C-alpha cells in the first residue's frame, strides 16, 4: 500500500510540486526567520563575543545583559583579582559620549573604556590607543554616521557649522570634539555589528576620565580568564560567593542577554511577533494545502475502502504521503534558507544559523503535516463507502 | 434450486436529506442464488443503487435482515465488514473508479495488494486477469490512456482478480457505447460461468437484458416484478 500511496502522491506532478513548494516555503520561512532573529540576538551580545578569552564576566548583581548596565565600585577589580583561580582580570567601562564633528554635526557613541595597562577589550591594533587623546571608532552596524568634511574650509569654520558640507568617512588622523575636548581618531575598526546598531568608540579608561570627568565609578564589567586548573563555571561561582558581585560564564551571559532582549526590548518583541506571524501563516497554508490534497483524493479512498482496505491501511497511506512531503519539502526549504542566508548575510543583514533554526523548521513542518494528516483522516473515517456508487 | 448466496428480508432504508425524509428502500425481500446473473432494473431514483450498497455492506440500513454467504452483515463491525468485503465481493462501477495514478496492472492487483498478497504473485494473477479481459498489451498504461470500454474491462479484471463469490455491478455499461457494452457483458457472463460466482447487475440498458438469468424490477423502493 506504500507504493500505492506514493504513486498517488506523485501522480499529479503539478499538484505535488505545488505542495512541495508550499511545505518548502514554510520551512524556509521559519528557519530563515529564526536565523535572522538569531543573527540579531548574536549582535546583542557582540561585546561578549568580541572578547573570547574572557570566560567569566563579573558585573553588578542587578545587571542581566550587556545592554543595560550600571557600574561597580572601583575597588571591585582588586577584589576580583584576589579570588583564587583568577589568572587575569581586566575592566571594561561602558558609557555614552556625544562627539562634535568638524562640520558641526554631532553623533552619539557607545564608549567602551579599556584598561590602560593592557588595553584588553580594544580592537586590534590596540596600541593605537597609546597615542595621546586617541580613540578607535567603529560603525557598529550603522551606515554613514562616521562622516567628516572633505574640504578644509568646512572644518571648525569661524562662521559656524557647515552642515551641508560635502563629507567623507572618518579616518586615521581626523579630529572630533567630545565635551569640548579634542580627540584624535587613531583608527577605524570593523568589529561585530551591534544590535541595536550604534557607532562605537573605544578608548583608554584614562582618556575616558579626561573626556567625561564627572563619573565616580569606572568599571562596568570585569573580564576574567580562569587559571588552567578551574572551569569557568566553578570560578564564576567562587567569585560570586567571595565578592558578592555577579559572576557568570560568557555563555551564560550571552543567554541572559538574549533573554533580557526578549523580555525588555519592544523592537525584539515586534520582531518575535512578526516571526511568529510568518510561521503561523506558513503553517496554516501548508496545513490547508495538505488537507485539500487528501480531501481531493477522498473518492479514491472510498473506492479502496469499498474494496476492503481498512481504516488503518488508509491512515498509513495518508501518513506516508504527508511524511514524504514533510521530509522532502522541509529539506529543500531549510537548505535554501541556509544558502540564501549565507549569501546575503552582511553587516546590515544579520544571519546566523543555530541548531534550533533548522530544527524548528523541520519540527514545525512535521507538526503541521501530522495535524493536517490527522484532520484529513476525519472525512475518511466518517465517509460511507457507499458513496463509491455516486462518483 | 441452487444454493442461496445472499438473502435479504424486509430491508428498509431512509435518507434524511435536510428536512425531507426519502424512503429509498421500503421493505425489500430478495434472494440471490449461486452462479446467477441477476439484473436490477427500474426508473431513476427507485433505490437500485441504495439496495446494492446495503447488500454489499457499504451502507447501513434501519430494519430488516441481510445475510451474505450465511453471515449477517448487520451484526458485523466496520473492520470485520470491510475485511469481509475485500474477501468476498467484487465491484464494477458506472464510472469505473480506477485509481488514476496506477497502471492497469496495478489497478487490477489492488484487491490483492489490500489483502497483503506478495507483489510478485499479485502481479502474476493481475496479468492473468488482464489477459482474460483481452488487455494483455496494455498492462502498463494508466487509466487516462485507455478508452472507456478498456477502462471498464480493467475494472472487471479488478473485480474478479481475488475470486470473490459475489460481484456487484452498478450500471456497468451505461458509460459505454453499444459495442463496448456488449463486450463487457460477454466478459462478465463468461467469467462467472468459468469461476462460479453470483452477480447483480444494476442497469437501465434493455439491450443487455438478454444476459440475465433473472430480472428484478423496482419502483419507489419496492420490488414490483421478478421476471425469468
Ligand atoms: N446519500 C443520500 N442522501 C439522501 N438521499 C439519497 C442519498 N442517496 C440516495 N438518495 C435518495 O434515495 C433514492 C434512491 O436513490 P438511488 O441512488 O438508490 O436510486 P437509483 O435507483 O440508483 O437511481 P439511478 O438509476 O438514477 O441511479 C433517491 O430518491 C435518492 O434521491
Ligand atoms: Mg443508481
Amino acid at each position: 500500500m506504500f507504493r500505492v500511496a506514493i504513486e498517488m502522491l506523485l501522480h499529479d506532478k503539478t499538484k505535488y510540486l505545488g505542495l512541495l513548494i508550499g511545505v518548502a516555503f514554510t520551512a524556509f520561512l521559519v528557519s530563515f526567520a529564526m536565523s535572522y532573529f538569531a543573527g540579531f540576538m548574536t549582535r546583542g551580545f557582540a561585546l561578549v563575543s568580541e572578547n573570547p578569552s574572557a570566560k567569566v564576566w563579573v558585573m553588578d548583581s542587578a545587571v542581566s545583559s550587556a545592554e543595560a548596565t550600571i557600574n561597580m565600585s572601583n575597588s571591585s577589580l582588586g577584589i576580583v583579582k584576589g579570588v583564587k583561580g583568577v589568572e587575569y582580570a581586566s575592566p571594561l567601562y561602558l558609557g555614552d559620549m556625544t562627539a562634535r564633528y568638524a562640520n558641526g554635526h554631532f553623533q552619539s557613541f557607545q564608549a567602551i573604556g579599556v584598561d590602560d595597562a593592557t588595553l584588553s577589550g580594544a580592537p586590534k591594533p590596540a596600541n593605537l590607543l597609546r597615542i595621546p587623546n586617541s580613540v578607535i571608532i567603529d560603525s557598529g552596524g550603522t551606515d554613514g554616521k562616521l562622516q567628516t568634511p572633505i574640504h578644509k574650509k568646512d572644518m571648525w569654520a569661524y562662521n559656524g557649522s557647515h552642515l551641508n558640507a560635502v563629507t567623507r568617512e572618518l579616518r586615521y588622523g581626523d579630529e572630533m570634539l567630545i565635551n569640548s575636548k579634542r580627540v584624535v581618531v587613531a583608527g577605524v575598526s570593523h568589529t561585530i555589528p551591534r544590535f541595536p546598531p550604534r557607532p562605537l568608540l573605544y578608548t583608554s579608561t584614562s582618556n575616558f576620565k579626561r573626556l567625561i570627568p564627572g563619573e565616580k565609578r569606572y568599571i562596568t564589567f570585569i573580564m576574567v580568564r580562569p587559571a588552567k586548573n578551574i572551569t569557568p563555571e566553578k570560578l564564576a561561582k567562587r567569585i560570586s560567593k567571595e565578592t558578592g558581585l555577579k559572576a557568570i560564564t560568557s555563555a551564560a551571559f550571552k543567554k541572559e542577554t538574549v533573554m533580557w532582549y526578549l523580555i525588555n526590548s519592544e523592537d525584539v518583541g515586534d520582531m518575535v511577533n512578526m516571526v511568529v506571524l510568518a510561521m503561523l501563516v506558513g503553517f496554516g497554508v501548508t496545513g490547508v494545502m495538505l488537507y485539500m490534497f487528501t480531501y481531493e483524493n477522498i473518492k479514491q479512498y472510498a473506492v479502496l475502502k469499498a474494496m476492503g482496505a481498512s481504516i488503518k491501511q488508509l491512515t498509513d497511506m495518508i501518513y506516508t504521503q504527508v511524511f514524504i512531503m514533510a521530509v522532502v519539502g522541509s529539506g529543500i526549504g531549510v537548505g535554501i534558507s541556509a544558502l540564501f542566508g549565507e549569501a546575503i548575510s552582511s553587516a546590515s543583514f544579520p544571519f546566523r544559523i543555530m541548531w534550533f533554526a533548522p530544527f524548528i523548521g523541520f519540527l514545525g513542518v512535521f507538526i503541521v503535516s501530522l495535524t493536517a494528516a490527522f484532520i484529513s483522516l476525519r472525512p475518511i473515517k466518517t465517509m460511507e463507502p457507499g458513496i463509491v456508487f455516486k462518483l | 434450486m441452487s444454493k442461496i448466496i445472499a438473502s435479504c428480508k424486509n430491508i428498509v432504508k431512509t435518507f434524511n436529506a435536510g428536512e425531507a425524509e426519502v424512503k429509498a428502500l421500503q421493505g425489500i425481500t430478495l434472494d440471490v442464488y449461486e452462479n446467477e446473473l441477476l439484473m436490477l432494473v427500474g426508473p431513476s431514483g427507485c433505490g437500485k443503487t441504495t439496495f446494492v450498497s446495503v447488500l454489499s455492506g457499504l451502507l447501513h440500513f434501519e430494519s430488516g435482515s441481510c445475510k451474505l454467504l450465511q453471515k449477517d452483515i448487520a451484526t458485523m463491525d466496520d473492520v470485520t465488514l470491510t475485511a469481509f468485503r475485500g474477501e468476498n465481493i467484487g465491484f464494477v462501477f458506472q464510472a469505473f473508479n480506477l485509481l488514476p495514478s496506477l497502471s492497469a496492472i496495478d489497478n487490477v492487483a489492488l484487491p490483492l495488494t489490500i489483502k497483503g498478497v506478495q507483489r510478485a504473485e499479485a502481479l502474476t494473477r493481475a496479468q492473468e486477469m488482464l489477459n482474460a479481459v483481452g488487455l494483455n498489451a496494455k498492462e502498463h498504461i494508466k487509466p487516462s490512456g485507455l478508452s472507456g470500454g478498456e477502462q471498464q474491462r480493467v475494472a472487471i479484471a479488478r473485480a474478479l482478480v481475488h475470486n470473490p463469490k459475489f460481484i456487484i455491478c452498478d450500471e456497468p455499461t451505461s458509460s459505454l457505447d453499444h459495442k463496448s457494452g456488449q463486450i463487457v457483458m460477454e466478459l462478465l457472463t463468461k467469467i462467472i460461468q468459468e469461476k462460479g460466482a453470483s452477480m447483480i447487475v444494476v442497469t437501465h440498458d434493455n439491450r443487455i437484458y438478454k444476459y440475465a438469468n433473472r430480472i428484478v424490477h423496482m419502483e419507489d423502493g419496492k420490488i414490483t416484478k421478478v421476471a425469468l
Side-chain angles (χ1 to χ4, degrees):
Chain A
M1 293 309 271
F2 286 116
R3 255 180 50 88
V4 177
I6 292 166
E7 301 248 4
M8 214 158 156
L9 177 66
L10 303 185
H11 174 61
D12 189 337
K13 297 279 182 299
T14 331
K15 214 181 279 169
Y16 173 67
L17 214 66
L19 264 172
L20 205 60
I21 290 172
V23 174
F25 184 68
T26 304
F28 168 80
L29 212 64
V30 170
S31 61
F32 192 83
M34 302 287 304
S35 299
Y36 188 53
F37 184 70
F40 269 115
M41 288 298 97
T42 308
R43 293 176 175 201
F45 52 71
L47 183 71
V48 185
S49 310
E50 152 183 310
N51 291 289
S53 66
K55 297 281 189 262
V56 176
W57 288 66
V58 182
M59 63 204 81
D60 185 276
S61 57
V63 171
S64 53
S65 74
E67 178 67 13
T69 56
I70 191 164
N71 300 332
M72 297 179 283
S73 78
N74 296 330
S75 60
S76 55
L77 180 62
I79 297 171
V80 169
K81 278 182 174 166
V83 175
K84 205 170 147 248
V86 173
E87 178 174 293
Y88 184 97
S90 58
L92 268 189
Y93 174 43
L94 302 186
D96 292 315
M97 284 189 189
T98 303
R100 177 78 76 178
Y101 292 152
N103 54 358
H105 277 293
F106 65 92
Q107 175 62 49
S108 65
F109 287 82
Q110 180 177 50
I112 302 167
V114 300
D115 183 38
D116 276 69
T118 62
L119 298 179
S120 81
K124 291 198 171 63
N127 271 338
L128 292 172
L129 292 183
R130 304 228 186 268
I131 299 167
N133 306 335
S134 69
V135 298
I136 295 174
I137 56 172
D138 192 305
S139 73
T142 62
D143 266 328
K145 292 206 189 312
L146 307 177
Q147 298 279 319
T148 201
I150 290 177
H151 305 294
K152 215 102 213 156
K153 66 173 169 61
D154 295 319
M155 294 184 184
W156 315 118
Y158 64 92
N159 56 354
S161 300
H162 284 201
L163 297 178
N164 298 320
V166 192
T167 59
R168 60 162 171 81
E169 291 276 316
L170 277 168
R171 62 181 179 226
Y172 170 79
D174 288 332
E175 295 182 353
M176 319 186 284
L177 288 179
I178 293 174
N179 224 357
S180 299
K181 287 162 190 136
R182 179 185 154 273
V183 295
V184 180
V185 175
V188 178
S189 68
H190 301 281
T191 58
I192 308 169
R194 297 309 204 252
F195 175 80
R198 77 202 105 178
L200 307 171
L201 185 151
Y202 295 88
T203 191
S204 64
T205 305
S206 61
N207 194 33
F208 208 131
K209 289 178 188 167
R210 180 183 73 93
L211 297 169
I212 320 267
E215 284 281 354
K216 289 262 157 45
R217 303 173 146 212
Y218 289 101
I219 301 177
T220 312
F221 293 113
I222 299 171
M223 304 187 291
V224 174
R225 193 165 71 196
K228 285 212 177 64
N229 54 5
I230 186 164
T231 64
E233 289 77 15
K234 275 204 182 119
L235 182 60
K237 273 209 189 99
R238 187 184 296 167
I239 295 172
S240 304
K241 208 171 137 213
E242 292 185 15
T243 65
L245 295 165
K246 175 170 174 176
I248 52 176
T249 64
S250 50
F253 191 29
K254 288 175 181 176
K255 278 196 192 116
E256 268 198 16
T257 300
V258 170
M259 280 316 293
W260 182 89
Y261 276 112
L262 290 177
I263 295 165
N264 291 289
S265 160
E266 274 80 24
D267 292 344
V268 171
D270 290 348
M271 225 150 68
V272 170
N273 288 344
M274 293 237 313
V275 169
V276 170
L277 195 73
M279 280 165 55
L280 289 181
V281 169
F283 286 158
V285 170
T286 311
V288 169
M289 277 171 57
L290 285 171
Y291 176 77
M292 271 163 47
F293 178 75
T294 312
Y295 197 81
E296 270 176 32
N297 288 336
I298 195 151
K299 290 176 181 181
Q300 299 185 38
Y301 292 115
V303 173
L304 289 172
K305 190 174 180 194
M307 293 194 308
S310 65
I311 291 289
K312 168 141 191 344
Q313 283 176 310
L314 300 182
T315 309
D316 287 349
M317 285 179 72
I318 288 176
Y319 278 124
T320 305
Q321 292 172 348
V322 163
F323 186 76
I324 291 173
M325 287 308 310
V327 170
V328 179
S330 56
I332 293 175
V334 169
I336 290 179
S337 121
L339 292 177
F340 186 58
E342 289 303 333
I344 62 168
S345 175
S346 67
S348 53
F349 197 93
F351 191 84
R352 179 158 173 209
I353 304 171
M354 292 176 72
W355 62 270
F356 58 80
F359 178 75
I360 292 183
F362 278 115
L363 190 76
V365 164
F366 271 89
I367 291 175
V368 168
S369 307
L370 288 183
T371 312
F374 186 76
I375 296 173
S376 46
L377 281 173
R378 263 188 58 83
I380 286 177
K381 282 185 177 155
T382 54
M383 84 186 162
E384 286 260 20
I387 62 168
V388 284
F389 289 114
K390 307 274 163 78
L391 302 176
Chain B
M1 199 97 226
S2 43
K3 209 169 127 194
I4 294 175
I5 284 284
S7 171
C8 292
K9 291 207 169 53
N10 253 321
I11 303 264
V12 176
K13 172 72 192 172
T14 312
F15 287 109
N16 293 311
E19 296 284 285
E21 274 197 344
V22 179
K23 291 184 173 151
L25 301 179
Q26 310 188 37
I28 300 274
T29 300
L30 181 69
D31 289 339
V32 183
Y33 299 101
E34 199 168 29
N35 295 342
E36 85 165 329
L37 195 164
L38 186 149
M39 275 192 194
L40 198 55
V41 302
S44 183
C46 72
K48 305 182 295 291
T49 298
T50 306
F51 177 61
V52 292
S53 301
V54 165
L55 187 59
S56 52
L58 292 175
L59 198 61
H60 298 287
F61 54 98
E62 285 106 57
S63 67
S65 79
C66 188
K67 275 193 180 155
L68 214 54
L69 304 165
Q70 284 84 47
K71 296 245 166 61
D72 187 351
I73 60 171
T75 61
M76 287 190 224
D77 63 36
D78 197 49
V79 174
T80 325
L81 190 56
T82 302
F84 179 82
R85 239 184 358 248
E87 193 68 37
N88 298 304
I89 304 179
F91 291 97
V92 178
F93 308 99
Q94 175 176 359
F96 322 137
N97 291 347
L98 299 175
L99 263 54
S101 50
L102 300 184
S103 63
I105 192 163
D106 278 330
N107 261 296
V108 174
L110 262 181
L112 302 173
T113 310
I114 290 171
K115 281 193 342 186
V117 174
Q118 285 294 316
R119 185 161 163 76
E121 190 198 333
L123 289 184
T124 313
R125 285 170 64 182
Q127 184 65 59
E128 280 166 17
M129 273 323 297
L130 273 178
N131 295 349
V133 299
L135 287 174
N136 8 352
K138 309 229 168 179
E139 73 257 34
H140 294 303
I141 298 178
K142 290 188 176 170
S144 57
L146 298 171
S147 74
E150 287 169 338
Q151 287 189 55
Q152 197 60 305
R153 276 145 70 191
V154 173
I156 289 168
R158 180 178 72 178
L160 298 168
V161 73
H162 53 307
N163 295 320
K165 301 272 176 346
F166 200 40
I167 295 147
I168 289 179
C169 312
D170 194 8
E171 318 248 10
T173 60
S174 55
S175 300
L176 304 177
D177 60 71
H178 178 60
K179 190 159 158 275
S180 306
Q182 297 293 322
I183 293 172
V184 160
M185 283 318 295
E186 288 193 350
L187 266 174
L188 284 171
T189 36
K190 187 179 121 215
I191 287 166
I192 58 163
Q193 273 161 19
E194 281 171 11
K195 297 209 168 194
S198 310
M199 187 171 333
I200 292 190
V201 177
V202 172
T203 189
H204 277 118
D205 185 355
N206 55 20
R207 291 172 307 194
I208 65 169
Y209 284 5
K210 61 184 181 217
Y211 296 99
N213 299 119
R214 267 197 305 167
I215 297 178
V216 173
H217 292 260
M218 278 182 72
E219 228 165 281
D220 282 339
K222 292 186 197 114
I223 291 177
T224 49
K225 189 169 102 182
V226 179
L228 289 177

